[in-house]
mmCIF file of all heavy atoms in Angstrom:
data_model
loop_
_atom_site.group_PDB
_atom_site.id
_atom_site.type_symbol
_atom_site.label_atom_id
_atom_site.label_comp_id
_atom_site.label_asym_id
_atom_site.label_seq_id
_atom_site.Cartn_x
_atom_site.Cartn_y
_atom_site.Cartn_z
ATOM 1 N N TRP A 648 11.748 -24.696 -17.902
ATOM 2 C CA TRP A 648 13.094 -24.788 -17.350
ATOM 3 C C TRP A 648 13.372 -23.632 -16.400
ATOM 4 O O TRP A 648 12.722 -22.590 -16.450
ATOM 5 C CB TRP A 648 14.142 -24.830 -18.459
ATOM 6 C CG TRP A 648 14.132 -23.620 -19.369
ATOM 7 C CD1 TRP A 648 13.367 -23.441 -20.488
ATOM 8 C CD2 TRP A 648 14.918 -22.428 -19.226
ATOM 9 N NE1 TRP A 648 13.617 -22.216 -21.056
ATOM 10 C CE2 TRP A 648 14.577 -21.571 -20.304
ATOM 11 C CE3 TRP A 648 15.878 -22.009 -18.302
ATOM 12 C CZ2 TRP A 648 15.154 -20.318 -20.470
ATOM 13 C CZ3 TRP A 648 16.452 -20.749 -18.463
ATOM 14 C CH2 TRP A 648 16.091 -19.914 -19.537
ATOM 15 N N TRP A 649 14.363 -23.861 -15.554
ATOM 16 C CA TRP A 649 14.832 -22.820 -14.639
ATOM 17 C C TRP A 649 16.317 -23.009 -14.391
ATOM 18 O O TRP A 649 16.794 -24.134 -14.220
ATOM 19 C CB TRP A 649 14.080 -22.870 -13.300
ATOM 20 C CG TRP A 649 14.451 -21.717 -12.409
ATOM 21 C CD1 TRP A 649 13.992 -20.427 -12.491
ATOM 22 C CD2 TRP A 649 15.360 -21.745 -11.310
ATOM 23 N NE1 TRP A 649 14.563 -19.643 -11.521
ATOM 24 C CE2 TRP A 649 15.420 -20.423 -10.782
ATOM 25 C CE3 TRP A 649 16.139 -22.738 -10.735
ATOM 26 C CZ2 TRP A 649 16.220 -20.103 -9.701
ATOM 27 C CZ3 TRP A 649 16.948 -22.414 -9.655
ATOM 28 C CH2 TRP A 649 16.977 -21.105 -9.141
ATOM 29 N N LEU A 650 17.039 -21.885 -14.408
ATOM 30 C CA LEU A 650 18.488 -21.893 -14.210
ATOM 31 C C LEU A 650 18.831 -21.045 -12.993
ATOM 32 O O LEU A 650 18.385 -19.896 -12.881
ATOM 33 C CB LEU A 650 19.197 -21.330 -15.447
ATOM 34 C CG LEU A 650 20.718 -21.121 -15.343
ATOM 35 C CD1 LEU A 650 21.439 -22.455 -15.154
ATOM 36 C CD2 LEU A 650 21.234 -20.397 -16.583
ATOM 37 N N ASN A 651 19.623 -21.615 -12.102
ATOM 38 C CA ASN A 651 19.993 -20.900 -10.877
ATOM 39 C C ASN A 651 21.114 -19.894 -11.162
ATOM 40 O O ASN A 651 22.256 -20.058 -10.740
ATOM 41 C CB ASN A 651 20.426 -21.887 -9.789
ATOM 42 C CG ASN A 651 20.586 -21.199 -8.447
ATOM 43 O OD1 ASN A 651 20.070 -20.104 -8.226
ATOM 44 N ND2 ASN A 651 21.293 -21.845 -7.535
ATOM 45 N N ASP A 652 20.747 -18.838 -11.875
ATOM 46 C CA ASP A 652 21.677 -17.759 -12.182
ATOM 47 C C ASP A 652 21.582 -16.700 -11.084
ATOM 48 O O ASP A 652 20.749 -15.812 -11.130
ATOM 49 C CB ASP A 652 21.328 -17.163 -13.548
ATOM 50 C CG ASP A 652 22.257 -16.021 -13.948
ATOM 51 O OD1 ASP A 652 23.301 -15.844 -13.299
ATOM 52 O OD2 ASP A 652 21.912 -15.300 -14.910
ATOM 53 N N LYS A 653 22.415 -16.846 -10.059
ATOM 54 C CA LYS A 653 22.390 -15.963 -8.901
ATOM 55 C C LYS A 653 20.971 -15.856 -8.325
ATOM 56 O O LYS A 653 20.468 -14.782 -8.025
ATOM 57 C CB LYS A 653 22.915 -14.571 -9.258
ATOM 58 C CG LYS A 653 24.369 -14.563 -9.709
ATOM 59 C CD LYS A 653 24.840 -13.151 -10.037
ATOM 60 C CE LYS A 653 26.301 -13.167 -10.503
ATOM 61 N NZ LYS A 653 26.770 -11.807 -10.862
ATOM 62 N N GLY A 654 20.355 -17.024 -8.144
ATOM 63 C CA GLY A 654 18.988 -17.064 -7.635
ATOM 64 C C GLY A 654 18.823 -16.437 -6.268
ATOM 65 O O GLY A 654 17.741 -15.962 -5.917
ATOM 66 N N TYR A 655 19.891 -16.421 -5.485
ATOM 67 C CA TYR A 655 19.826 -15.841 -4.142
ATOM 68 C C TYR A 655 19.440 -14.359 -4.168
ATOM 69 O O TYR A 655 18.904 -13.833 -3.194
ATOM 70 C CB TYR A 655 21.163 -16.020 -3.421
ATOM 71 C CG TYR A 655 22.344 -15.397 -4.129
ATOM 72 C CD1 TYR A 655 22.667 -14.066 -3.952
ATOM 73 C CD2 TYR A 655 23.146 -16.166 -4.971
ATOM 74 C CE1 TYR A 655 23.746 -13.493 -4.613
ATOM 75 C CE2 TYR A 655 24.230 -15.613 -5.630
ATOM 76 C CZ TYR A 655 24.525 -14.275 -5.457
ATOM 77 O OH TYR A 655 25.589 -13.713 -6.112
ATOM 78 N N LEU A 656 19.700 -13.679 -5.302
ATOM 79 C CA LEU A 656 19.312 -12.272 -5.396
ATOM 80 C C LEU A 656 17.792 -12.115 -5.306
ATOM 81 O O LEU A 656 17.295 -11.103 -4.818
ATOM 82 C CB LEU A 656 19.818 -11.670 -6.713
ATOM 83 C CG LEU A 656 21.337 -11.566 -6.882
ATOM 84 C CD1 LEU A 656 21.675 -11.022 -8.266
ATOM 85 C CD2 LEU A 656 21.930 -10.663 -5.805
ATOM 86 N N GLY A 657 17.074 -13.130 -5.779
ATOM 87 C CA GLY A 657 15.613 -13.087 -5.672
ATOM 88 C C GLY A 657 15.165 -13.057 -4.226
ATOM 89 O O GLY A 657 14.294 -12.270 -3.845
ATOM 90 N N MET A 658 15.763 -13.916 -3.393
ATOM 91 C CA MET A 658 15.409 -13.930 -1.971
ATOM 92 C C MET A 658 15.821 -12.636 -1.277
ATOM 93 O O MET A 658 15.110 -12.129 -0.409
ATOM 94 C CB MET A 658 16.045 -15.133 -1.277
ATOM 95 C CG MET A 658 15.287 -16.437 -1.457
ATOM 96 S SD MET A 658 15.600 -17.233 -3.030
ATOM 97 C CE MET A 658 17.066 -18.198 -2.620
ATOM 98 N N GLN A 659 16.956 -12.096 -1.670
ATOM 99 C CA GLN A 659 17.399 -10.847 -1.066
ATOM 100 C C GLN A 659 16.419 -9.713 -1.361
ATOM 101 O O GLN A 659 16.077 -8.925 -0.480
ATOM 102 C CB GLN A 659 18.802 -10.492 -1.573
ATOM 103 C CG GLN A 659 19.884 -11.447 -1.060
ATOM 104 C CD GLN A 659 21.255 -11.150 -1.634
ATOM 105 O OE1 GLN A 659 21.407 -10.265 -2.478
ATOM 106 N NE2 GLN A 659 22.264 -11.889 -1.183
ATOM 107 N N ARG A 660 15.962 -9.644 -2.601
ATOM 108 C CA ARG A 660 14.999 -8.595 -2.945
ATOM 109 C C ARG A 660 13.667 -8.807 -2.228
ATOM 110 O O ARG A 660 13.065 -7.866 -1.708
ATOM 111 C CB ARG A 660 14.775 -8.547 -4.460
ATOM 112 C CG ARG A 660 13.820 -7.400 -4.860
ATOM 113 C CD ARG A 660 13.712 -7.180 -6.353
ATOM 114 N NE ARG A 660 12.949 -8.193 -7.037
ATOM 115 C CZ ARG A 660 12.098 -7.940 -8.040
ATOM 116 N NH1 ARG A 660 11.902 -6.684 -8.462
ATOM 117 N NH2 ARG A 660 11.462 -8.913 -8.642
ATOM 118 N N ILE A 661 13.208 -10.051 -2.201
ATOM 119 C CA ILE A 661 11.952 -10.349 -1.500
ATOM 120 C C ILE A 661 12.047 -9.920 -0.043
ATOM 121 O O ILE A 661 11.132 -9.301 0.502
ATOM 122 C CB ILE A 661 11.624 -11.854 -1.600
ATOM 123 C CG1 ILE A 661 11.300 -12.245 -3.041
ATOM 124 C CG2 ILE A 661 10.442 -12.201 -0.684
ATOM 125 C CD1 ILE A 661 11.289 -13.745 -3.277
ATOM 126 N N LEU A 662 13.162 -10.257 0.604
ATOM 127 C CA LEU A 662 13.337 -9.907 2.016
ATOM 128 C C LEU A 662 13.293 -8.400 2.223
ATOM 129 O O LEU A 662 12.651 -7.922 3.162
ATOM 130 C CB LEU A 662 14.655 -10.475 2.544
ATOM 131 C CG LEU A 662 14.968 -10.161 4.015
ATOM 132 C CD1 LEU A 662 13.932 -10.807 4.933
ATOM 133 C CD2 LEU A 662 16.376 -10.622 4.387
ATOM 134 N N LEU A 663 13.943 -7.642 1.368
ATOM 135 C CA LEU A 663 13.951 -6.183 1.515
ATOM 136 C C LEU A 663 12.542 -5.609 1.394
ATOM 137 O O LEU A 663 12.139 -4.748 2.191
ATOM 138 C CB LEU A 663 14.869 -5.548 0.471
ATOM 139 C CG LEU A 663 16.380 -5.721 0.681
ATOM 140 C CD1 LEU A 663 17.143 -5.132 -0.500
ATOM 141 C CD2 LEU A 663 16.826 -5.061 1.989
ATOM 142 N N VAL A 664 11.785 -6.068 0.411
ATOM 143 C CA VAL A 664 10.414 -5.570 0.241
ATOM 144 C C VAL A 664 9.555 -5.972 1.435
ATOM 145 O O VAL A 664 8.771 -5.177 1.965
ATOM 146 C CB VAL A 664 9.797 -6.092 -1.071
ATOM 147 C CG1 VAL A 664 8.360 -5.572 -1.221
ATOM 148 C CG2 VAL A 664 10.632 -5.654 -2.276
ATOM 149 N N LEU A 665 9.705 -7.217 1.874
ATOM 150 C CA LEU A 665 8.935 -7.708 3.011
ATOM 151 C C LEU A 665 9.234 -6.912 4.276
ATOM 152 O O LEU A 665 8.317 -6.501 4.994
ATOM 153 C CB LEU A 665 9.230 -9.188 3.229
ATOM 154 C CG LEU A 665 8.563 -9.857 4.433
ATOM 155 C CD1 LEU A 665 7.047 -9.756 4.347
ATOM 156 C CD2 LEU A 665 8.998 -11.306 4.557
ATOM 157 N N LEU A 666 10.515 -6.675 4.556
ATOM 158 C CA LEU A 666 10.878 -5.940 5.771
ATOM 159 C C LEU A 666 10.450 -4.481 5.702
ATOM 160 O O LEU A 666 10.068 -3.889 6.719
ATOM 161 C CB LEU A 666 12.384 -6.043 6.008
ATOM 162 C CG LEU A 666 12.919 -7.435 6.343
ATOM 163 C CD1 LEU A 666 14.422 -7.385 6.585
ATOM 164 C CD2 LEU A 666 12.207 -8.019 7.562
ATOM 165 N N ALA A 667 10.495 -3.902 4.517
ATOM 166 C CA ALA A 667 10.028 -2.522 4.376
ATOM 167 C C ALA A 667 8.540 -2.429 4.681
ATOM 168 O O ALA A 667 8.069 -1.455 5.296
ATOM 169 C CB ALA A 667 10.320 -2.011 2.963
ATOM 170 N N GLU A 668 7.777 -3.449 4.269
ATOM 171 C CA GLU A 668 6.335 -3.456 4.523
ATOM 172 C C GLU A 668 6.009 -3.859 5.958
ATOM 173 O O GLU A 668 5.089 -3.300 6.574
ATOM 174 C CB GLU A 668 5.643 -4.423 3.554
ATOM 175 C CG GLU A 668 5.474 -3.887 2.157
ATOM 176 C CD GLU A 668 4.544 -2.680 2.110
ATOM 177 O OE1 GLU A 668 3.396 -2.789 2.568
ATOM 178 O OE2 GLU A 668 4.995 -1.622 1.623
ATOM 179 N N ALA A 669 6.730 -4.827 6.487
ATOM 180 C CA ALA A 669 6.414 -5.362 7.814
ATOM 181 C C ALA A 669 7.103 -4.609 8.940
ATOM 182 O O ALA A 669 6.695 -4.718 10.100
ATOM 183 C CB ALA A 669 6.784 -6.846 7.880
ATOM 184 N N GLY A 670 8.148 -3.853 8.633
ATOM 185 C CA GLY A 670 8.872 -3.111 9.665
ATOM 186 C C GLY A 670 9.889 -3.988 10.364
ATOM 187 O O GLY A 670 9.542 -5.019 10.938
ATOM 188 N N LEU A 671 11.157 -3.592 10.336
ATOM 189 C CA LEU A 671 12.221 -4.336 11.007
ATOM 190 C C LEU A 671 12.327 -3.857 12.443
ATOM 191 O O LEU A 671 12.528 -2.674 12.710
ATOM 192 C CB LEU A 671 13.552 -4.121 10.291
ATOM 193 C CG LEU A 671 14.793 -4.767 10.919
ATOM 194 C CD1 LEU A 671 14.649 -6.282 10.925
ATOM 195 C CD2 LEU A 671 16.048 -4.345 10.173
ATOM 196 N N ASP A 672 12.182 -4.793 13.387
ATOM 197 C CA ASP A 672 12.296 -4.454 14.803
ATOM 198 C C ASP A 672 13.760 -4.207 15.143
ATOM 199 O O ASP A 672 14.601 -5.092 15.001
ATOM 200 C CB ASP A 672 11.732 -5.594 15.657
ATOM 201 C CG ASP A 672 11.939 -5.335 17.147
ATOM 202 O OD1 ASP A 672 11.940 -4.162 17.536
ATOM 203 O OD2 ASP A 672 12.102 -6.321 17.880
ATOM 204 N N LYS A 673 14.054 -2.999 15.565
ATOM 205 C CA LYS A 673 15.439 -2.640 15.899
ATOM 206 C C LYS A 673 15.605 -2.401 17.398
ATOM 207 O O LYS A 673 16.584 -1.812 17.839
ATOM 208 C CB LYS A 673 15.840 -1.372 15.147
ATOM 209 C CG LYS A 673 15.716 -1.487 13.642
ATOM 210 C CD LYS A 673 15.975 -0.153 12.968
ATOM 211 C CE LYS A 673 15.724 -0.236 11.482
ATOM 212 N NZ LYS A 673 15.901 1.088 10.817
ATOM 213 N N GLY A 674 14.635 -2.874 18.160
ATOM 214 C CA GLY A 674 14.642 -2.602 19.598
ATOM 215 C C GLY A 674 15.503 -3.561 20.376
ATOM 216 O O GLY A 674 16.693 -3.701 20.138
#
């Protein structure tokens, strides 16, 4: 089973880790 208990927080955390590793273009 899976319950969508603020599941969007998972994507937010993934994005932060990904951008920290990949570098956010601020140009």
Side-chain angles (χ1 to χ4, degrees):
W648 60 273
W649 186 79
L650 173 64
N651 190 18
D652 180 13
K653 297 181 181 179
Y655 59 85
L656 294 177
M658 279 80 87
Q659 291 176 356
R660 183 172 74 141
I661 293 166
L662 179 64
L663 287 175
V664 179
L665 177 59
L666 294 181
E668 283 295 304
L671 176 63
D672 175 31
K673 302 174 185 177

